[in-house]
Amino acid sequence: MLILAIESSCDETAAAVVRDGREILSSVISSQVELHRPFGGVVPEIASRDHLAKIDHIVIDALQKAGVGLDDVEAVAVTYGPGLVGSLLVGVCYAKALAFGRKIPLIGVNHIEGHFYSVVFDNPPIEYPALALIVSGGHTNLFHVPEEGKYKIVSRTRDDAAGEAFDKAAKMMGLGYPGGPAIEKLAESGDPNTVKFTMPKISDGRPDFSFSGLKTALSKYLKEKNGGKTQTDEFRADVAASFQYAVVEQLAATVARASKEYPAKTLIVAGGVACNLALRDSMRRVADKWGIPVYFPSKHLSTDNAAMIAAAAYPRFLMGMYAGSDLTADITIRLQNVEEDPAISKGRVRYRI
Ligand code: KG4
Ligand code: ZN
């Protein structure tokens, strides 16, 4: 059973053909990173225009690389949120036209659930209950997943996403966009103990994430040290390593804390930031201590792609959960269908900088 999937929620135009939700026949990703680099971040208007210019070619390329035609495809899957509304609309409209024109099912996929399913290609089957850290440029959430398709948010970010923090820190240090890979590379030769960034304290005691204070602390530190600009490569490497360490430590500490409350058989770490090797090492240590396996997507499936959207769509296809002609981009959808605790996210975040 072949699904043609389309992903255009941010700055990657992607299409993939996947058999039975597990076997990738093709996965084509066109990144807009060069277009956005001069601005130091994604410019929504530029992103949606570029999706529009490329989507047709990317879909045709995905079909050709898979060696199949549209007649062989049994369903079309598409990301419909969350993301940039203009970008999402390009994928959604294209997928709708294709599915209804061919009279085959259309399946709407939540982008975050797509990241969750990115681990199915290169790992043994997920054993439930699972705990899943989805950590990207737009999202930082820890989910308890008691069974397939059920999600409860355990921790969320109160401000910036972890990837966003990497991107902003890199911009401050003049490292360019996207920031995560640039900081990781620089951090390789740095000492993570140089700058002691403190962990945020959330007054309601919820195990949420917060990264904006870290960004402010970095900015303050760089200003004190003359913007970091006239500093040596060694200084910059030490700052990058310390910043990366602070982000990774916060993520790892929160997952370790959740492991006590939410027994799980599998730990999943996915999303663009899951490319980061320091994060992978740290999460392996958490999982080892816990005595459960940790699954990561392979590197090319960590950042946005359409193969993960096909994988997430497959169980919905089997259950007949098809979208109607009213499917549209929805930037507000959340991945949560299990009740969360009351009084969530009411407290303030405090930092010592
Ligand atoms: O999942 P993704 O492609 O897009 C979103 O859904 O947001 O994630 C992109 C994010 C960017 O913020 C980028 O800086 C971050 O993932 N990222 C990394 C690394 N590679 C990508 N962050 C830290 N270390 C990396 N190696
Ligand atoms: Zn993503």
Side-chain angles (χ1 to χ4, degrees):
M1 183 272 153
L2 299 185
I3 292 182
L4 168 66
I6 294 169
E7 154 66 42
S8 69
S9 64
C10 189
D11 61 342
E12 267 97 18
T13 321
V17 178
V18 175
R19 177 176 285 132
D20 297 335
R22 293 292 178 276
E23 188 193 341
I24 302 175
L25 303 193
S26 67
S27 175
V28 180
I29 305 168
S30 168
S31 169
Q32 303 176 355
V33 76
E34 293 308 328
L35 284 179
H36 300 290
R37 204 188 293 283
F39 305 96
V42 178
V43 181
E45 181 65 23
I46 294 177
S48 40
R49 283 175 191 273
D50 197 57
H51 285 307
L52 204 51
K54 295 219 181 100
I55 192 154
D56 216 20
H57 308 290
I58 299 296
V59 169
I60 291 167
D61 198 16
L63 289 167
Q64 279 174 352
K65 288 205 165 96
V68 302
L70 270 181
D71 287 345
D72 304 308
V73 169
E74 283 175 63
V76 179
V78 66
T79 305
Y80 74 104
L84 301 171
V85 69
S87 292
L88 287 163
L89 274 172
V90 175
V92 170
C93 293
Y94 191 95
K96 264 163 89 165
L98 204 56
F100 297 137
R102 308 296 301 184
K103 297 190 173 48
I104 53 176
L106 173 70
I107 299 158
V109 174
N110 180 316
H111 181 78
I112 315 282
E113 191 170 28
H115 277 300
F116 177 83
Y117 275 89
S118 66
V119 302
V120 302
F121 298 108
D122 301 293
N123 292 288
I126 299 168
E127 278 202 68
Y128 296 91
L131 205 62
L133 177 70
I134 311 293
V135 66
S136 71
H139 320 278
T140 301
N141 288 316
L142 181 64
F143 293 97
H144 180 234
V145 193
E147 58 186 86
E148 181 157 28
K150 292 234 184 305
Y151 304 91
K152 173 183 171 169
I153 292 184
V154 174
S155 309
R156 60 157 65 86
T157 180
R158 296 293 183 97
D159 36 60
D160 295 347
E164 192 181 353
F166 272 110
D167 293 337
K168 287 178 176 170
K171 200 171 177 178
M172 277 183 229
M173 294 175 69
L175 297 176
Y177 173 82
I183 291 204
E184 179 173 23
K185 192 157 190 307
L186 195 56
E188 276 168 18
S189 54
D191 175 2
N193 297 310
T194 311
V195 194
K196 303 270 183 221
F197 293 110
T198 56
M199 295 265 263
K201 291 219 180 326
I202 296 176
S203 67
D204 58 19
R206 281 200 53 83
D208 282 346
F209 305 107
S210 169
F211 297 101
S212 76
L214 190 55
K215 181 187 65 192
T216 313
L218 174 67
S219 155
K220 233 176 128 182
Y221 184 80
L222 290 175
K223 269 192 199 117
E224 273 166 21
K225 305 278 173 185
N226 199 16
K229 289 194 182 91
T230 56
Q231 303 296 329
T232 61
D233 287 350
E234 193 187 345
F235 167 86
R236 286 149 59 83
D238 286 345
V239 173
S242 303
F243 182 84
Q244 174 176 274
Y245 179 79
V247 174
V248 167
E249 274 305 285
Q250 191 186 142
L251 294 168
T254 306
V255 173
R257 181 173 164 186
S259 71
K260 302 202 171 70
E261 203 179 330
Y262 296 97
K265 290 184 179 158
T266 318
L267 175 62
I268 287 163
V269 182
V273 184
C275 291
N276 188 284
L277 296 182
L279 177 66
R280 289 189 179 217
D281 282 350
S282 185
M283 288 298 164
R284 269 191 209 103
R285 280 196 295 275
V286 172
D288 281 353
K289 208 165 161 201
W290 197 357
I292 62 169
V294 54
Y295 296 170
F296 304 101
S298 61
K299 207 169 172 188
H300 66 285
L301 292 168
S302 295
T303 46
D304 291 349
N305 66 87
M308 67 184 194
I309 303 304
Y314 184 61
R316 288 175 180 264
F317 173 82
L318 295 180
M319 288 185 283
M321 292 167 72
Y322 306 151
S325 56
D326 57 344
L327 183 77
T328 189
D330 186 349
I331 60 168
T332 64
I333 48 165
R334 295 171 62 198
L335 186 60
Q336 164 139 284
N337 45 24
V338 176
E339 270 300 285
E340 72 182 324
D341 307 328
I344 192 163
S345 307
K346 293 271 161 54
R348 289 191 310 124
V349 185
R350 289 208 186 90
Y351 301 90
R352 254 184 322 113
I353 297 168

